[in-house]
Amino acid sequence: MPTVAEQLRTTREARKLTVQQVADATKIRTDHIRALEEGNFNVFSAPIYIRGSVKNYATMLKMDVPKITAALVAELNAT
């Protein structure tokens, strides 16, 4: 199964959206969007910010938010 980062990136690319367009729509900084798409959660100061950003990003992309959130929690617990 693809990681949350891979799912976010591939969904954004499938919708032909740029990182800047996502940033404008979600108010998430572009460097944080790139970090989410790379699975680099170390740039966030706390897990709550990771979860909130992923939720907002997935909602904007019209993804299955509960599924993405559950996958994210599993990934974070594994680290």
Side-chain angles (χ1 to χ4, degrees):
M1 172 148 186
T3 65
V4 170
E6 292 166 339
Q7 292 179 61
L8 291 171
R9 186 185 64 252
T10 57
T11 303
R12 176 184 59 78
E13 290 171 347
R15 289 179 170 45
K16 301 194 183 325
L17 295 169
T18 65
V19 169
Q20 186 62 54
Q21 288 171 315
V22 172
D24 292 342
T26 61
K27 306 300 184 223
I28 301 171
R29 294 175 13 190
T30 56
D31 60 324
H32 284 182
I33 291 170
R34 286 189 190 94
L36 290 173
E37 290 187 353
E38 294 166 1
N40 179 14
F41 302 131
N42 295 329
V43 301
F44 295 90
S45 58
I48 189 76
Y49 297 118
I50 301 166
R51 288 192 296 270
S53 295
V54 167
K55 181 180 176 186
N56 288 343
Y57 193 178
T59 300
M60 183 263 176
L61 293 175
K62 296 179 176 45
M63 298 175 76
D64 184 346
V65 175
K67 182 179 172 186
I68 290 291
T69 303
L72 177 65
V73 170
E75 286 181 25
L76 292 175
N77 288 340
T79 59

